[in-house]
Amino acid sequence: MTDSYVNPVYPHTMADPFVLRHDGLYYAYGTAPPSADGRAFPVLRSADLVHWEPLGHALVAPGGSDFWAPEVAARDGVFYMYYSAQGIDGNDHQLRVATSEHPAGPFLDTGVVLVPDQPFSIDAHPFRDTDGQWYLYYCVDFLELEDDHRVGTGIVVDRLVDMRTLAGEPRVVVRPHQDWHLFLKQRPMYGAVYDWHTVEGPAVQQHDGKYYCFYSGGAWERENYGVSYVVADHPLGPFTRPPQGERALLMSTRPGRLIGPGHNSFTLSPDGSETWIVYHAWQPDMAGRRMCIDRLDWQGERPVTDGPTWMERPVPSARPR
């Protein structure tokens, strides 16, 4: 067994990587081209977070196109995949739910549209609190100028009544509010033209009684893309911004090495002693967004990581407890 790894840990496109830990194994799902038979979302399996075995594609597509950002939650022996799809019944991206009896799939769409009142919704992130209550963080567009917020894509959270039904009471988690959140200047959207800003890809971690919602800001195909966070005392917020938010606080581009790191998930090391951040990044050839991993640590209330890394690093801990 090797004692080091080098990013990326998988050689093919695996954007928006989400890792589910189940029965001692890891399953990774991501945004990538469909399979030859039209299935969406490659699924990989690993015992150590470093060596990954492809298992095919997970979702039996219910029509549509452009399938993005799958995340999977397990409850009562059922695996629920939350994802966005474009083109079903002529709609733009909408959040949907598919289910399977196995983490590798096949996942079959349930016909449920989670937020039918939104013209555009992406990047669903299911989160289970310590009391067992589930919440769903997801992204929608905001056109209103309020306080220092910018026009663009932001993150909201709602309570899950069951794994297929939202309470219908979304609360704002974070909207774009910094220059580095710029997606595109003078972007035609919704019949007007805006300097469009984006925060997306929510992923929640609990630490010392606080809830940290990590997000990716900027333009996913450019060097300004990176990972930062907001903090709350409850999963529904209100969320506050840490100081020095004029830059991505957790992870940003390493010029000439790894570009635009982001849209991450979190998981534990094989022995459960470490938290690891799983994310995508471009290499300098910009040939595809590939899956990378780095350890997440804490300095008091501040999350820190050496990532994005491109040199040899120690593998996730698997030592016996």
Side-chain angles (χ1 to χ4, degrees), residues 150-289:
R150 316 289 176 89
V151 169
T153 304
I155 299 170
V156 300
V157 59
D158 199 356
R159 182 173 55 87
L160 280 162
V161 177
D162 58 47
M163 301 303 281
R164 305 181 188 189
T165 310
L166 288 168
E169 301 169 349
R171 301 187 187 186
V172 174
V173 173
V174 59
R175 287 180 54 179
H177 54 276
Q178 293 285 350
D179 290 345
W180 71 271
H181 296 159
L182 180 67
F183 181 84
L184 184 66
K185 284 184 174 291
Q186 295 296 288
R187 186 186 189 192
M189 293 289 287
Y190 299 104
V193 177
Y194 303 97
D195 286 348
W196 195 265
H197 293 69
T198 293
V199 295
E200 61 185 12
V204 175
Q205 285 283 284
Q206 245 185 305
H207 178 72
D208 283 351
K210 302 280 189 180
Y211 298 83
Y212 290 72
C213 182
F214 293 82
Y215 67 83
S216 298
W220 59 270
E221 77 277 30
R222 296 180 182 155
E223 291 197 352
N224 69 317
Y225 203 64
V227 180
S228 201
Y229 59 93
V230 289
V231 188
D233 294 324
H234 189 275
L236 292 174
F239 285 83
T240 59
R241 308 170 194 166
Q244 301 178 319
E246 67 278 359
R247 59 185 177 87
L249 292 174
L250 185 70
M251 187 180 290
S252 56
T253 290
R254 300 290 176 90
R257 297 293 186 174
L258 291 174
I259 299 163
H263 203 127
N264 68 279
S265 60
F266 294 98
T267 192
L268 296 176
S269 58
D271 72 353
S273 69
E274 303 164 342
T275 299
W276 284 71
I277 179 172
V278 183
Y279 60 97
H280 71 234
W282 300 91
Q283 292 174 286
D285 61 7
M286 300 294 285
R289 291 174 291 170

Side-chain angles (χ1 to χ4, degrees), residues 118-121 139-144 152-154 189-190 196:
Q118 285 288 345
F120 178 82
S121 54
C139 298
V140 295
D141 290 342
F142 293 87
L143 304 182
E144 309 83 11
T153 304
M189 293 289 287
Y190 299 104
W196 195 265

Side-chain angles (χ1 to χ4, degrees), residues 9-240:
V9 293
Y10 186 65
H12 306 296
T13 295
M14 193 72 173
D16 314 327
F18 175 79
V19 168
L20 174 73
R21 189 175 182 226
H22 178 72
D23 284 348
L25 294 172
Y26 299 95
Y27 295 85
Y29 314 83
T31 303
S35 63
D37 62 1
R39 287 196 183 188
F41 304 134
V43 55
L44 318 175
R45 183 171 57 198
S46 174
D48 59 8
L49 285 175
V50 173
H51 303 94
W52 292 92
E53 170 194 8
L55 301 179
H57 283 58
L59 176 70
V60 178
S65 61
D66 285 338
F67 297 90
W68 292 353
E71 296 207 8
V72 175
R75 184 177 183 180
D76 298 332
V78 178
F79 298 88
Y80 296 85
M81 174 179 280
Y82 300 87
Y83 69 97
S84 75
Q86 185 180 44
I88 297 176
D89 298 327
N91 292 301
D92 202 345
H93 269 274
Q94 56 181 209
L95 291 178
R96 303 181 67 91
V97 187
T99 59
S100 176
E101 296 180 356
H102 191 278
F107 285 83
L108 302 179
D109 189 78
T110 63
V112 172
V113 179
L114 286 163
V115 281
D117 58 332
Q118 285 288 345
F120 178 82
S121 54
I122 58 170
D123 293 1
H125 169 62
F127 171 75
R128 183 182 183 271
D129 200 3
T130 51
D131 64 1
Q133 176 63 54
W134 285 89
Y135 299 87
L136 193 74
Y137 294 76
Y138 61 94
C139 298
V140 295
D141 290 342
F142 293 87
L143 304 182
E144 309 83 11
L145 288 172
E146 299 174 355
D147 304 321
D148 62 347
H149 294 142
R150 316 289 176 89
V151 169
T153 304
I155 299 170
V156 300
V157 59
D158 199 356
R159 182 173 55 87
L160 280 162
V161 177
D162 58 47
M163 301 303 281
R164 305 181 188 189
T165 310
L166 288 168
E169 301 169 349
R171 301 187 187 186
V172 174
V173 173
V174 59
R175 287 180 54 179
H177 54 276
Q178 293 285 350
D179 290 345
W180 71 271
H181 296 159
L182 180 67
F183 181 84
L184 184 66
K185 284 184 174 291
Q186 295 296 288
R187 186 186 189 192
M189 293 289 287
Y190 299 104
V193 177
Y194 303 97
D195 286 348
W196 195 265
H197 293 69
T198 293
V199 295
E200 61 185 12
V204 175
Q205 285 283 284
Q206 245 185 305
H207 178 72
D208 283 351
K210 302 280 189 180
Y211 298 83
Y212 290 72
C213 182
F214 293 82
Y215 67 83
S216 298
W220 59 270
E221 77 277 30
R222 296 180 182 155
E223 291 197 352
N224 69 317
Y225 203 64
V227 180
S228 201
Y229 59 93
V230 289
V231 188
D233 294 324
H234 189 275
L236 292 174
F239 285 83
T240 59

